[in-house]
Amino acid sequence: MGIIVQKFGGTSVADATKIKNVAKRVVQTHDEGHRVAVVVSAMGDTTDRLENLAYEISANPPERELAMLMSTGEQVSIALLAMAVSELGHRAISLTGTQVGIMTGGFYSEARIQSINRGRILSELEQGKIVILAGYQGVTIDNEITTLGRGASDTTAVAVAATLDADRCDIYTDVDGVYTADPRIVPNARKLGQITHDEMLEMARLGAKVLHSRSVELAKKFDVNLCVRSSFTESEGTIVVKEGEMIEEVVVSGVTSDKDQAKVSLLGVPDTPGIAARIFQEIADTHINIDMIIQNISHEGTTDISFTVAKKDLGATLKIAEILKAKIGCQNISTDKNIAKVSAIGIGMKSHVGIAARMFRALADEGINIQMISTSEIKISCVIDDREAEHAVRAIHDRFELGNTSNENVGIQG
Amino acid sequence: MGIIVQKFGGTSVADATKIKNVAKRVVQTHDEGHRVAVVVSAMGDTTDRLENLAYEISANPPERELAMLMSTGEQVSIALLAMAVSELGHRAISLTGTQVGIMTGGFYSEARIQSINRGRILSELEQGKIVILAGYQGVTIDNEITTLGRGASDTTAVAVAATLDADRCDIYTDVDGVYTADPRIVPNARKLGQITHDEMLEMARLGAKVLHSRSVELAKKFDVNLCVRSSFTESEGTIVVKEGEMIEEVVVSGVTSDKDQAKVSLLGVPDTPGIAARIFQEIADTHINIDMIIQNISHEGTTDISFTVAKKDLGATLKIAEILKAKIGCQNISTDKNIAKVSAIGIGMKSHVGIAARMFRALADEGINIQMISTSEIKISCVIDDREAEHAVRAIHDRFELGNTSNENVGIQG
């Protein structure tokens, strides 16, 4: 009997009624003859509420205590879902990250899963129970509670599916799949039936909030059958497939925007070998994620290096930049929070030329100025003024003819 | 350097501001040169809120999942208090029941503490940290989360104090000590400077909500210096002392009332040897606590047996009573929820005669009818109509002249 992992996000378990609906769906899958392991997030806005409570007490709460606090959100959900499944006459057992042994390294936040104790889950499944696991949380070898980062319940689900060698990992969310663009911005955005791991990864990284990017990495690495579908409808979702399994290969699969970045520029950096390595090592040491990095050709022995970071990390980044300024003798630091990154993603780019030019032309035709460009094999990102973000997404989406001709979409993609 | 255990109840940590105040008090004690272990309850009405959520989902949630759910309340408090202490520049660490190793037996609710791993607490204290422990929760040998029963954070605190051989265990609450009666009922009730363990135990059992009765049992057994005091004022609390240490021995220390009981009568029970044992064994097997038991002399080979249970257990008790009715052939079952138990407690009763008569006379003079009576060495309880409860408490309190002559009390005692 095969195992199916189902993951339900915060909006899917936001209140008692929704939890009961999730229980019905879980039980239905169980009754169809599968063994079912469920991963759940915290209810609705619980995570925000807990975080606000922490910041009422301290502007800089210790990460250990934040993890202790935040992990309670999922513990509430798993207990309630287990009750709801029991109420339907099925046996259920909830397990915290500590109980199931979702082992992580020593960081309290953004911790990485190292291993999962499949024995406990399998033994409960073999007893005919529906196993309900807390997403987002792990535990260290010293029994310390850790958290995996915002949105990381997806990652828990995929890691559990990989560990159990599950037939499928279904991510239930408040949208019914992955769209060519956010339908709130682009009304005729189209739901994709399939998307490759790499495309999904870029979409996730580049602002589509539908899947946590580490979950897609894991799914690719461990060959997990991943599917994004709606908790609220029966509609078929989007299947994340291997590159070779893609039936219809399109040039561009989707367009995303991300306003959560800020730009930092180090101006007049001495252009000596190893300077970039020094700068970014120093930043990496503080666990700040750098996104785009741009270094242009140098003039008169100095160069400008720009990069983007998450807005929340801007303060910490500036502190390091000031230290670096003194150490390496750069002339100035400038920052800009009012930026957006718009991106076109598609596996088909590999075999098609001129995609970048077509995207830049779409922006130019609308009079939108490009501040930074970054490309990979399957995506092109441009940093622009954040006030132009929606405008730019629509222009690129139109230019690549991604939309439906009709306008019948529902759903949201961040 | 001696250890002080401080316990703060839900009203003391009801919001961010109150948690910060608790942190100040904890840090002050630490700075006075003590090692400090703190036990906290869930914030304000969290426990009720979680319980309501559970009952929205299931009328009869599995106890395992209830424990999983309820234990999150304390986990939130310990994390927030640890943050608040850190914010004051002190080192703090929060520990769940699982982490600290508050080992209990296999029951998920009303579990009993079997042992506490003092090593973990001591090692953190020795590093100069303020250790913040979750009350109310424990863990089994199989890593299952258990809860100790409503109000049992007091018991956690006393057990921790006993384990650490602490100098003192201070129970901070929203009243400034133990009163001769509930000041909301008896305006001139007087705060007691001292009370013996046995008196406190009876007070707690008989409706005074100021201390969890198991905490008093433990304090007596392990000779813990226990003190009840206010989180919100600096006033001296009530010290719970050994019998021999009582300076001023009074006849009656306090008067309590409890409306949380219901009366069940089995009428026309065959008066054969062992019948009471059978009845109460059957009820005990379902973990329902029986309070008062009354059996009168028999008539014509049958007798009536009455007992009281907590109102919440009435439904379950009636189910067993119906089974018993069939098994043992009793004629009828009657119940009454509209009862109150009023009690007078005092160590001095041991050496004074006529106390019971004086109490019955006080009720008779007010025209209050007594339905059941139960006495012990140091308490007398009467079951009366619940509408007469306050009236009866005032009458008894007056009769034993327990009040202040002035009327300057503040505080609440349930």
PDB file of all heavy atoms in Angstrom, chain A residues 181-209:
ATOM      1  N   ALA A 181       1.352  33.964 -14.124  1.00  0.00           N
ATOM      2  CA  ALA A 181       1.646  35.189 -13.385  1.00  0.00           C
ATOM      3  C   ALA A 181       0.593  35.306 -12.296  1.00  0.00           C
ATOM      4  O   ALA A 181      -0.394  34.572 -12.287  1.00  0.00           O
ATOM      5  CB  ALA A 181       1.610  36.410 -14.298  1.00  0.00           C
ATOM      6  N   ASP A 182       0.790  36.221 -11.367  1.00  0.00           N
ATOM      7  CA  ASP A 182      -0.173  36.456 -10.307  1.00  0.00           C
ATOM      8  C   ASP A 182      -1.474  36.964 -10.922  1.00  0.00           C
ATOM      9  O   ASP A 182      -1.501  38.056 -11.499  1.00  0.00           O
ATOM     10  CB  ASP A 182       0.419  37.508  -9.357  1.00  0.00           C
ATOM     11  CG  ASP A 182      -0.467  37.769  -8.155  1.00  0.00           C
ATOM     12  OD1 ASP A 182      -1.666  37.433  -8.210  1.00  0.00           O
ATOM     13  OD2 ASP A 182       0.042  38.311  -7.171  1.00  0.00           O
ATOM     14  N   PRO A 183      -2.575  36.207 -10.813  1.00  0.00           N
ATOM     15  CA  PRO A 183      -3.837  36.621 -11.446  1.00  0.00           C
ATOM     16  C   PRO A 183      -4.387  37.946 -10.911  1.00  0.00           C
ATOM     17  O   PRO A 183      -5.206  38.567 -11.575  1.00  0.00           O
ATOM     18  CB  PRO A 183      -4.794  35.469 -11.113  1.00  0.00           C
ATOM     19  CG  PRO A 183      -3.916  34.302 -10.821  1.00  0.00           C
ATOM     20  CD  PRO A 183      -2.690  34.881 -10.184  1.00  0.00           C
ATOM     21  N   ARG A 184      -3.907  38.368  -9.725  1.00  0.00           N
ATOM     22  CA  ARG A 184      -4.340  39.684  -9.236  1.00  0.00           C
ATOM     23  C   ARG A 184      -3.721  40.792 -10.073  1.00  0.00           C
ATOM     24  O   ARG A 184      -4.246  41.891 -10.174  1.00  0.00           O
ATOM     25  CB  ARG A 184      -3.931  39.869  -7.772  1.00  0.00           C
ATOM     26  CG  ARG A 184      -4.784  39.053  -6.805  1.00  0.00           C
ATOM     27  CD  ARG A 184      -4.208  39.102  -5.405  1.00  0.00           C
ATOM     28  NE  ARG A 184      -2.808  38.654  -5.400  1.00  0.00           N
ATOM     29  CZ  ARG A 184      -2.077  38.507  -4.297  1.00  0.00           C
ATOM     30  NH1 ARG A 184      -2.598  38.790  -3.127  1.00  0.00           N
ATOM     31  NH2 ARG A 184      -0.832  38.077  -4.368  1.00  0.00           N
ATOM     32  N   ILE A 185      -2.543  40.495 -10.644  1.00  0.00           N
ATOM     33  CA  ILE A 185      -1.854  41.487 -11.477  1.00  0.00           C
ATOM     34  C   ILE A 185      -2.224  41.294 -12.939  1.00  0.00           C
ATOM     35  O   ILE A 185      -2.465  42.252 -13.670  1.00  0.00           O
ATOM     36  CB  ILE A 185      -0.318  41.366 -11.299  1.00  0.00           C
ATOM     37  CG1 ILE A 185       0.065  41.655  -9.842  1.00  0.00           C
ATOM     38  CG2 ILE A 185       0.405  42.307 -12.250  1.00  0.00           C
ATOM     39  CD1 ILE A 185       1.528  41.417  -9.540  1.00  0.00           C
ATOM     40  N   VAL A 186      -2.268  40.033 -13.343  1.00  0.00           N
ATOM     41  CA  VAL A 186      -2.538  39.718 -14.746  1.00  0.00           C
ATOM     42  C   VAL A 186      -3.833  38.899 -14.804  1.00  0.00           C
ATOM     43  O   VAL A 186      -3.817  37.686 -14.591  1.00  0.00           O
ATOM     44  CB  VAL A 186      -1.369  38.908 -15.348  1.00  0.00           C
ATOM     45  CG1 VAL A 186      -1.624  38.637 -16.830  1.00  0.00           C
ATOM     46  CG2 VAL A 186      -0.043  39.630 -15.143  1.00  0.00           C
ATOM     47  N   PRO A 187      -4.954  39.555 -15.092  1.00  0.00           N
ATOM     48  CA  PRO A 187      -6.243  38.848 -14.989  1.00  0.00           C
ATOM     49  C   PRO A 187      -6.349  37.627 -15.897  1.00  0.00           C
ATOM     50  O   PRO A 187      -7.030  36.666 -15.545  1.00  0.00           O
ATOM     51  CB  PRO A 187      -7.258  39.925 -15.389  1.00  0.00           C
ATOM     52  CG  PRO A 187      -6.571  41.213 -15.105  1.00  0.00           C
ATOM     53  CD  PRO A 187      -5.126  40.977 -15.390  1.00  0.00           C
ATOM     54  N   ASN A 188      -5.691  37.622 -17.035  1.00  0.00           N
ATOM     55  CA  ASN A 188      -5.820  36.447 -17.901  1.00  0.00           C
ATOM     56  C   ASN A 188      -4.667  35.448 -17.722  1.00  0.00           C
ATOM     57  O   ASN A 188      -4.388  34.651 -18.605  1.00  0.00           O
ATOM     58  CB  ASN A 188      -6.001  36.856 -19.373  1.00  0.00           C
ATOM     59  CG  ASN A 188      -4.702  37.377 -19.969  1.00  0.00           C
ATOM     60  OD1 ASN A 188      -3.812  37.806 -19.226  1.00  0.00           O
ATOM     61  ND2 ASN A 188      -4.595  37.343 -21.288  1.00  0.00           N
ATOM     62  N   ALA A 189      -4.016  35.488 -16.559  1.00  0.00           N
ATOM     63  CA  ALA A 189      -2.959  34.511 -16.285  1.00  0.00           C
ATOM     64  C   ALA A 189      -3.541  33.104 -16.374  1.00  0.00           C
ATOM     65  O   ALA A 189      -4.719  32.890 -16.076  1.00  0.00           O
ATOM     66  CB  ALA A 189      -2.370  34.753 -14.894  1.00  0.00           C
ATOM     67  N   ARG A 190      -2.713  32.149 -16.785  1.00  0.00           N
ATOM     68  CA  ARG A 190      -3.182  30.807 -17.076  1.00  0.00           C
ATOM     69  C   ARG A 190      -2.579  29.819 -16.079  1.00  0.00           C
ATOM     70  O   ARG A 190      -1.404  29.924 -15.722  1.00  0.00           O
ATOM     71  CB  ARG A 190      -2.718  30.451 -18.497  1.00  0.00           C
ATOM     72  CG  ARG A 190      -3.328  29.201 -19.105  1.00  0.00           C
ATOM     73  CD  ARG A 190      -3.007  29.163 -20.600  1.00  0.00           C
ATOM     74  NE  ARG A 190      -1.599  29.481 -20.875  1.00  0.00           N
ATOM     75  CZ  ARG A 190      -0.604  28.589 -20.799  1.00  0.00           C
ATOM     76  NH1 ARG A 190      -0.846  27.338 -20.481  1.00  0.00           N
ATOM     77  NH2 ARG A 190       0.637  28.954 -21.076  1.00  0.00           N
ATOM     78  N   LYS A 191      -3.383  28.853 -15.640  1.00  0.00           N
ATOM     79  CA  LYS A 191      -2.852  27.837 -14.744  1.00  0.00           C
ATOM     80  C   LYS A 191      -2.031  26.850 -15.562  1.00  0.00           C
ATOM     81  O   LYS A 191      -2.464  26.409 -16.630  1.00  0.00           O
ATOM     82  CB  LYS A 191      -3.979  27.088 -14.032  1.00  0.00           C
ATOM     83  CG  LYS A 191      -3.450  26.190 -12.916  1.00  0.00           C
ATOM     84  CD  LYS A 191      -4.545  25.516 -12.146  1.00  0.00           C
ATOM     85  CE  LYS A 191      -5.029  24.289 -12.888  1.00  0.00           C
ATOM     86  NZ  LYS A 191      -6.192  23.683 -12.205  1.00  0.00           N
ATOM     87  N   LEU A 192      -0.835  26.516 -15.059  1.00  0.00           N
ATOM     88  CA  LEU A 192       0.022  25.563 -15.761  1.00  0.00           C
ATOM     89  C   LEU A 192      -0.330  24.144 -15.322  1.00  0.00           C
ATOM     90  O   LEU A 192      -0.489  23.880 -14.127  1.00  0.00           O
ATOM     91  CB  LEU A 192       1.491  25.845 -15.413  1.00  0.00           C
ATOM     92  CG  LEU A 192       2.004  27.217 -15.865  1.00  0.00           C
ATOM     93  CD1 LEU A 192       3.302  27.566 -15.141  1.00  0.00           C
ATOM     94  CD2 LEU A 192       2.218  27.239 -17.373  1.00  0.00           C
ATOM     95  N   GLY A 193      -0.463  23.235 -16.261  1.00  0.00           N
ATOM     96  CA  GLY A 193      -0.710  21.837 -15.916  1.00  0.00           C
ATOM     97  C   GLY A 193       0.551  21.175 -15.392  1.00  0.00           C
ATOM     98  O   GLY A 193       0.522  20.360 -14.474  1.00  0.00           O
ATOM     99  N   GLN A 194       1.673  21.565 -15.964  1.00  0.00           N
ATOM    100  CA  GLN A 194       2.970  21.009 -15.567  1.00  0.00           C
ATOM    101  C   GLN A 194       3.991  22.123 -15.482  1.00  0.00           C
ATOM    102  O   GLN A 194       3.871  23.150 -16.140  1.00  0.00           O
ATOM    103  CB  GLN A 194       3.462  20.033 -16.634  1.00  0.00           C
ATOM    104  CG  GLN A 194       2.622  18.812 -16.825  1.00  0.00           C
ATOM    105  CD  GLN A 194       3.310  17.878 -17.802  1.00  0.00           C
ATOM    106  OE1 GLN A 194       3.869  18.323 -18.812  1.00  0.00           O
ATOM    107  NE2 GLN A 194       3.279  16.591 -17.512  1.00  0.00           N
ATOM    108  N   ILE A 195       4.996  21.898 -14.710  1.00  0.00           N
ATOM    109  CA  ILE A 195       6.136  22.809 -14.665  1.00  0.00           C
ATOM    110  C   ILE A 195       7.345  21.973 -14.263  1.00  0.00           C
ATOM    111  O   ILE A 195       7.195  20.992 -13.523  1.00  0.00           O
ATOM    112  CB  ILE A 195       5.860  23.977 -13.682  1.00  0.00           C
ATOM    113  CG1 ILE A 195       6.942  25.044 -13.765  1.00  0.00           C
ATOM    114  CG2 ILE A 195       5.717  23.478 -12.248  1.00  0.00           C
ATOM    115  CD1 ILE A 195       6.564  26.334 -13.066  1.00  0.00           C
ATOM    116  N   THR A 196       8.525  22.293 -14.748  1.00  0.00           N
ATOM    117  CA  THR A 196       9.699  21.510 -14.341  1.00  0.00           C
ATOM    118  C   THR A 196      10.197  21.991 -12.978  1.00  0.00           C
ATOM    119  O   THR A 196       9.908  23.094 -12.541  1.00  0.00           O
ATOM    120  CB  THR A 196      10.859  21.641 -15.342  1.00  0.00           C
ATOM    121  OG1 THR A 196      11.318  22.995 -15.323  1.00  0.00           O
ATOM    122  CG2 THR A 196      10.441  21.258 -16.747  1.00  0.00           C
ATOM    123  N   HIS A 197      10.964  21.129 -12.336  1.00  0.00           N
ATOM    124  CA  HIS A 197      11.566  21.492 -11.044  1.00  0.00           C
ATOM    125  C   HIS A 197      12.331  22.801 -11.146  1.00  0.00           C
ATOM    126  O   HIS A 197      12.199  23.675 -10.293  1.00  0.00           O
ATOM    127  CB  HIS A 197      12.540  20.390 -10.593  1.00  0.00           C
ATOM    128  CG  HIS A 197      11.855  19.152 -10.130  1.00  0.00           C
ATOM    129  ND1 HIS A 197      11.940  17.960 -10.821  1.00  0.00           N
ATOM    130  CD2 HIS A 197      11.067  18.896  -9.061  1.00  0.00           C
ATOM    131  CE1 HIS A 197      11.243  17.028 -10.171  1.00  0.00           C
ATOM    132  NE2 HIS A 197      10.704  17.570  -9.113  1.00  0.00           N
ATOM    133  N   ASP A 198      13.143  22.933 -12.199  1.00  0.00           N
ATOM    134  CA  ASP A 198      13.993  24.124 -12.300  1.00  0.00           C
ATOM    135  C   ASP A 198      13.176  25.390 -12.492  1.00  0.00           C
ATOM    136  O   ASP A 198      13.474  26.428 -11.902  1.00  0.00           O
ATOM    137  CB  ASP A 198      14.989  23.957 -13.456  1.00  0.00           C
ATOM    138  CG  ASP A 198      16.083  22.960 -13.098  1.00  0.00           C
ATOM    139  OD1 ASP A 198      16.324  22.776 -11.888  1.00  0.00           O
ATOM    140  OD2 ASP A 198      16.666  22.365 -14.019  1.00  0.00           O
ATOM    141  N   GLU A 199      12.144  25.270 -13.309  1.00  0.00           N
ATOM    142  CA  GLU A 199      11.274  26.439 -13.483  1.00  0.00           C
ATOM    143  C   GLU A 199      10.587  26.803 -12.174  1.00  0.00           C
ATOM    144  O   GLU A 199      10.512  27.963 -11.777  1.00  0.00           O
ATOM    145  CB  GLU A 199      10.215  26.138 -14.552  1.00  0.00           C
ATOM    146  CG  GLU A 199      10.759  26.144 -15.969  1.00  0.00           C
ATOM    147  CD  GLU A 199       9.717  25.679 -16.981  1.00  0.00           C
ATOM    148  OE1 GLU A 199       8.996  24.691 -16.690  1.00  0.00           O
ATOM    149  OE2 GLU A 199       9.619  26.291 -18.041  1.00  0.00           O
ATOM    150  N   MET A 200      10.068  25.768 -11.488  1.00  0.00           N
ATOM    151  CA  MET A 200       9.367  25.998 -10.226  1.00  0.00           C
ATOM    152  C   MET A 200      10.310  26.638  -9.215  1.00  0.00           C
ATOM    153  O   MET A 200       9.924  27.537  -8.455  1.00  0.00           O
ATOM    154  CB  MET A 200       8.836  24.660  -9.708  1.00  0.00           C
ATOM    155  CG  MET A 200       7.887  24.793  -8.545  1.00  0.00           C
ATOM    156  SD  MET A 200       6.354  25.652  -8.971  1.00  0.00           S
ATOM    157  CE  MET A 200       6.436  27.087  -7.903  1.00  0.00           C
ATOM    158  N   LEU A 201      11.531  26.158  -9.216  1.00  0.00           N
ATOM    159  CA  LEU A 201      12.548  26.684  -8.308  1.00  0.00           C
ATOM    160  C   LEU A 201      12.773  28.164  -8.558  1.00  0.00           C
ATOM    161  O   LEU A 201      12.807  28.975  -7.626  1.00  0.00           O
ATOM    162  CB  LEU A 201      13.836  25.907  -8.579  1.00  0.00           C
ATOM    163  CG  LEU A 201      14.845  25.746  -7.479  1.00  0.00           C
ATOM    164  CD1 LEU A 201      14.195  25.318  -6.184  1.00  0.00           C
ATOM    165  CD2 LEU A 201      15.873  24.699  -7.921  1.00  0.00           C
ATOM    166  N   GLU A 202      12.915  28.510  -9.826  1.00  0.00           N
ATOM    167  CA  GLU A 202      13.123  29.923 -10.151  1.00  0.00           C
ATOM    168  C   GLU A 202      11.878  30.731  -9.813  1.00  0.00           C
ATOM    169  O   GLU A 202      11.980  31.820  -9.252  1.00  0.00           O
ATOM    170  CB  GLU A 202      13.474  30.097 -11.639  1.00  0.00           C
ATOM    171  CG  GLU A 202      14.837  29.555 -12.016  1.00  0.00           C
ATOM    172  CD  GLU A 202      16.003  30.389 -11.474  1.00  0.00           C
ATOM    173  OE1 GLU A 202      15.772  31.360 -10.735  1.00  0.00           O
ATOM    174  OE2 GLU A 202      17.164  30.034 -11.776  1.00  0.00           O
ATOM    175  N   MET A 203      10.707  30.182 -10.122  1.00  0.00           N
ATOM    176  CA  MET A 203       9.460  30.892  -9.789  1.00  0.00           C
ATOM    177  C   MET A 203       9.395  31.148  -8.282  1.00  0.00           C
ATOM    178  O   MET A 203       9.062  32.251  -7.841  1.00  0.00           O
ATOM    179  CB  MET A 203       8.242  30.049 -10.190  1.00  0.00           C
ATOM    180  CG  MET A 203       8.107  29.777 -11.662  1.00  0.00           C
ATOM    181  SD  MET A 203       7.201  31.074 -12.540  1.00  0.00           S
ATOM    182  CE  MET A 203       5.542  30.435 -12.417  1.00  0.00           C
ATOM    183  N   ALA A 204       9.699  30.122  -7.507  1.00  0.00           N
ATOM    184  CA  ALA A 204       9.626  30.246  -6.055  1.00  0.00           C
ATOM    185  C   ALA A 204      10.633  31.273  -5.553  1.00  0.00           C
ATOM    186  O   ALA A 204      10.318  32.132  -4.736  1.00  0.00           O
ATOM    187  CB  ALA A 204       9.867  28.893  -5.397  1.00  0.00           C
ATOM    188  N   ARG A 205      11.851  31.186  -6.081  1.00  0.00           N
ATOM    189  CA  ARG A 205      12.895  32.126  -5.654  1.00  0.00           C
ATOM    190  C   ARG A 205      12.573  33.558  -6.054  1.00  0.00           C
ATOM    191  O   ARG A 205      12.984  34.499  -5.409  1.00  0.00           O
ATOM    192  CB  ARG A 205      14.227  31.745  -6.311  1.00  0.00           C
ATOM    193  CG  ARG A 205      14.930  30.590  -5.652  1.00  0.00           C
ATOM    194  CD  ARG A 205      16.384  30.562  -6.117  1.00  0.00           C
ATOM    195  NE  ARG A 205      17.013  29.322  -5.721  1.00  0.00           N
ATOM    196  CZ  ARG A 205      17.569  28.466  -6.562  1.00  0.00           C
ATOM    197  NH1 ARG A 205      17.597  28.727  -7.872  1.00  0.00           N
ATOM    198  NH2 ARG A 205      18.126  27.364  -6.129  1.00  0.00           N
ATOM    199  N   LEU A 206      11.861  33.680  -7.165  1.00  0.00           N
ATOM    200  CA  LEU A 206      11.686  35.000  -7.767  1.00  0.00           C
ATOM    201  C   LEU A 206      10.364  35.637  -7.395  1.00  0.00           C
ATOM    202  O   LEU A 206       9.913  36.548  -8.061  1.00  0.00           O
ATOM    203  CB  LEU A 206      11.834  34.888  -9.283  1.00  0.00           C
ATOM    204  CG  LEU A 206      13.242  34.455  -9.730  1.00  0.00           C
ATOM    205  CD1 LEU A 206      13.260  34.175 -11.219  1.00  0.00           C
ATOM    206  CD2 LEU A 206      14.265  35.523  -9.378  1.00  0.00           C
ATOM    207  N   GLY A 207       9.712  35.126  -6.375  1.00  0.00           N
ATOM    208  CA  GLY A 207       8.566  35.862  -5.865  1.00  0.00           C
ATOM    209  C   GLY A 207       7.245  35.138  -5.905  1.00  0.00           C
ATOM    210  O   GLY A 207       6.290  35.578  -5.262  1.00  0.00           O
ATOM    211  N   ALA A 208       7.112  34.038  -6.646  1.00  0.00           N
ATOM    212  CA  ALA A 208       5.856  33.298  -6.612  1.00  0.00           C
ATOM    213  C   ALA A 208       5.801  32.583  -5.278  1.00  0.00           C
ATOM    214  O   ALA A 208       6.671  31.787  -4.952  1.00  0.00           O
ATOM    215  CB  ALA A 208       5.793  32.298  -7.756  1.00  0.00           C
ATOM    216  N   LYS A 209       4.781  32.885  -4.450  1.00  0.00           N
ATOM    217  CA  LYS A 209       4.803  32.391  -3.071  1.00  0.00           C
ATOM    218  C   LYS A 209       4.144  31.026  -2.951  1.00  0.00           C
ATOM    219  O   LYS A 209       3.860  30.552  -1.870  1.00  0.00           O
ATOM    220  CB  LYS A 209       4.130  33.402  -2.153  1.00  0.00           C
ATOM    221  CG  LYS A 209       4.886  34.719  -2.115  1.00  0.00           C
ATOM    222  CD  LYS A 209       4.504  35.577  -0.936  1.00  0.00           C
ATOM    223  CE  LYS A 209       5.283  36.877  -0.924  1.00  0.00           C
ATOM    224  NZ  LYS A 209       4.739  37.873  -1.854  1.00  0.00           N
TER     225      LYS A 209
END
